Amino acid sequence: MGFGVLRVMNDDLVQPCRGFGEHPHRDVEICTYIVDGFLSHKDSMGTEETLTRGDIQFMTAGRGVVHSEHNLHETQPLRFIQIWINTRTRGLTPNYGSAAGDSSLRTNKWHHMVSDVGSPAETPIKINQDTNIYVTEISKDEKVTMQLSSGRQGYLLMIEGSACISVNGDNETLDRHDGAEVKMKK
């Protein structure tokens, strides 16, 4: 894919009792947002947990980490968005963390979930790159606004439903699975 430091954004659907067996990563920040279902994560750092709708996890792969992801539920599919972000520094110590989702923080407003370790922003997840991740769930006839500073860029993914976006006076409708790249001029 490649857009700025965004390397990959996958929208994964995992059937019940299926998943991704152990596999390695290195020198990448991986953030995973759970859309529906239950994601069971296990890694070589000793982390083992299950996340659900609205939860987010991060993994600094750094010098190398092995992990697996599964949907252990017997009947419910799992859907998650996995985002790979190029790290600013190679060879970091691997790290993992997660944060529980709270629908009240993202309903009809942007919830800032991920920011740079060097940023003063108070977010539940901090990663090693000048990156921010926000989520929102917008009710019908509601509106949210996001301002990007000069020289910044953003990538918007429509996870569910559809919405009209306006960038510099240009209007576009995004439907489920659509993405939009936004670059602000310097």
Side-chain angles (χ1 to χ4, degrees):
M1 176 175 180
F3 178 67
V5 296
L6 176 62
R7 185 189 298 176
V8 172
M9 184 176 289
N10 290 329
D11 188 338
D12 290 314
L13 181 64
V14 181
Q15 296 303 314
C17 301
R18 301 272 187 212
F20 302 99
E22 288 187 346
H23 58 282
H25 292 283
R26 69 177 300 122
D27 292 322
V28 66
E29 297 282 356
I30 301 173
C31 295
T32 306
Y33 181 77
I34 313 308
V35 178
D36 279 311
F38 300 90
L39 172 73
S40 293
H41 168 95
K42 186 176 182 180
D43 64 44
S44 57
M45 295 176 283
T47 309
E48 202 170 334
E49 73 174 336
T50 299
L51 302 122
T52 191
R53 183 176 175 85
D55 294 351
I56 191 164
Q57 68 173 3
F58 83 97
M59 189 169 61
T60 300
R63 291 188 300 267
V65 66
V66 175
H67 78 127
S68 63
E69 299 156 312
H70 288 90
N71 176 9
L72 301 178
H73 199 276
E74 296 201 10
T75 59
Q76 183 179 359
L78 161 67
R79 182 173 172 222
F80 61 90
I81 307 300
Q82 190 163 86
I83 306 158
W84 294 14
I85 299 163
N86 293 324
T87 188
R88 80 165 59 85
T89 306
R90 297 178 59 82
L92 294 169
T93 300
N95 192 16
Y96 176 90
S98 64
D102 180 343
S103 62
S104 70
L105 296 175
R106 64 181 183 268
T107 301
N108 299 319
K109 57 189 167 193
W110 291 107
H111 176 43
H112 194 183
M113 296 191 82
V114 177
S115 65
D116 186 350
V117 294
S119 165
E122 293 184 23
T123 59
I125 302 289
K126 295 285 200 171
I127 63 171
N128 296 283
Q129 186 52 272
D130 182 12
T131 299
N132 296 283
I133 297 176
Y134 294 82
V135 296
T136 186
E137 292 182 19
I138 308 168
S139 303
K140 186 177 179 171
D141 298 325
E142 291 292 329
K143 195 192 250 191
V144 296
T145 302
M146 169 73 64
Q147 297 292 326
L148 293 179
S149 300
S150 174
R152 299 292 290 182
Q153 60 188 31
Y155 188 88
L156 177 67
L157 175 67
M158 184 62 57
I159 295 174
E160 298 174 318
S162 64
C164 180
I165 67 167
S166 178
V167 178
N168 298 325
D170 294 328
N171 296 323
E172 288 288 331
T173 297
L174 296 182
D175 295 313
R176 181 180 169 168
H177 301 296
D178 286 346
E181 296 176 350
V182 179
K183 292 183 179 182
M184 301 308 292
K185 294 179 182 174
K186 291 184 180 184

